[in-house]
Amino acid sequence: MTGGGLLVAGTTSDAGKSVVTAGICRWLVRQGVKVAPFKAQNMSLNSFVTREGAEIGRAQAMQAQACRVEPTARMNPVLLKPGGEQSSQVVLLGKPVGELSARGYHGGRQRRLLGTVLDCLAELRGTYDAVICEGAGSPAEINLRRTDIVNMGVARGARLPVLVVGDIDRGGVFASFFGTVALLSPADQELVAGFLVNKFRGDVSLLEPGLDMLRGLTGRRTYGVLPYRHGLGIDEEDGLRVSLRGTVRESNVAPPVGEDVLRVAVCAVPLMSNFTDVDALAAEPGVVVRFVDRPEELADADLVVVPGTRGTVRALEWLRERGLAEALVRRAAEGRPVLGVCGGFQVLGERVEDEVESRRGLVDGLGVLPVRVRFAREKTLTRPVGEALGERVEGYEIHHGVATVEGGAPFLDGCRVGQTWGTHWHGSLESDGFRRAFLREVADAAGRRFVPAPDTSFAALREEQLDRLGDLIEQHADTDALWRLIESGAPPGLPFIPPGAPA
C-alpha cells in the first residue's frame, strides 16, 4: 500500500518551505502518523552525513528529526554543492558523482535523474504512512520546467497534491499565489490544491476578504495563515542566518552565568559550508556570535572561528586579500583562541596540495598549525565518535582534504598549538560537555570571567524548536483539511487559470 503524500512548494525561494515541511512533519508524528521528509533535489553547502555514510542536505536531516526517524539518502537523492558561479558538485544518493556546470546539468543530466528521484519517493511511500515533500525555488520557473525534478516534475510523476506557501512579509502575496498557478500548464494546475500564508503580522480578519477573493479567482482555498514568529527556522540551506540563535535569545532570558559575555567572530569565507556548527555556541547564555569580513572585527573577539568551505584555496586568497590572514597569524602567535573547522582547519595548516577542488596544485596555508593537506578525489563521509578535553564528542566529516598532522597536541582528528585548534569534525560543539569544556578554555585564555551554563542541552533546544513548528501548524492551519489532502490527493475539478504555461 502506498502512503499519502504532499508537496510543499513556494512562491519564491525562502518563502518558508523548509519550516512548513518540518512543522507538518512534527504535527503528524505527534498524531501517531509514521512520516518521512523528502526533497528530490537540494542546492546547499550545509550538509549532513547519515549513519550509512551518505551526504544529504541539513534541512532534510532536521526534517527527519522532526519526524523522529533516522535520515537516509532516499530523503534527499540529489544534492548540488556550489563550487562557484557556474558549477556545482553533484551528489547522487549520498555520494559525489562529478562536477557539472548549470548549463550541463539543466541541459539534460537533471531530467535523467527523475527516475531515481521517483524510485526513492516510491520506496519511502511504501514504508511510511505519509511523505511530506519540499519543493525548491518556485514551481512557476517556466524556463526550467522541462527538466524540473523537484517541483511539478515530481508532483506529476508521483501524483502529489501541491500546497503553495507564500511569505506575506515580503508583500505581494496575492499576486504571487495567483501568478504561480496561472503560469502552470493545465496538467500541473490540476495538482495545485491551495495556499498557505506564512509570516503574517496583525489581525487575520483583515486578511480574510483577500483570501475569499483569491478563492473566487482561482477556485482554490487557503489552508492556513501562519503568524510571524521570531527565531523560527531549521538548519539553513544557504544565506548567513544562524538558525537557532534568534530562538535562543528569545527563549533564554537568563543573564550569563559568569560576569562576562564571550564574543565569537566567524570569518565569512567564500563558499562557506556548514556554518551551522556555530549554532551550538550561540545557544549558550552569554555567548555572542557574529559573522565578520574585516580584520578590525577580530580585535575584540574572544574566539575566532574559521568555518568550513567548499573552496579552501579560494578562502585562503580571500583571507589574504582582506587582511584577515595576517590578523589570524598574529592572533595565533599571541595565544588568542582560534578554531578552524574542516576547510578552516585546512586553511590554518602549512600547505594545501589541491588537484581536485581548485586544481591549483601546491598552495601555502597560514602556517599556524603543523598540518599538510592533500586533496583526494574520494570524499571522506563519516560519523566519528571520540574524546577531547575529557569529554565524549560526536561529529561528522565531509571533506576531500586528507590532513597529515606533524606536531602539536592531539585534538579530535586534528591538533592544537597553544590556543589554536583545528579539526575536520563538524558538529562537535553540539556535544554539551565538550562545548562547555572548550568554552572554559577559551574564557581562561581570553581573560574573561565567563562561565558556561551547566544545563544547556543543544539537543533539547532543537526539539523545542521543532515542537514550536508543530504547534504553528496545529494552531493556525486547517489540519483536518491538510490530512485529507495528504491522504486523498488534490480535490477533483480544480479550475484552469489562464494563460497557463507558455508553449
Side-chain angles (χ1 to χ4, degrees), residues 15 47 75 118 182 223 225 237 239 286 310 319 340 452 492:
S47 57
M75 296 173 183
L118 293 176
Y223 284 77
V225 178
E237 292 186 1
R310 172 94 158 84
L319 290 166

Side-chain angles (χ1 to χ4, degrees), residues 23 45 54 69 80 83 94 155 165 177 206 224 239 241 284 286 292 297 303 311 341 346 389 412 439 464:
L45 286 171
V69 299
L80 305 179
V165 177
F177 281 146
L206 299 176
R241 192 151 50 94
E284 287 286 348
V292 303
E297 294 177 296
L303 169 67
V341 181
Q346 297 167 8
L389 303 180
L412 301 176
L439 289 176
E464 175 190 313

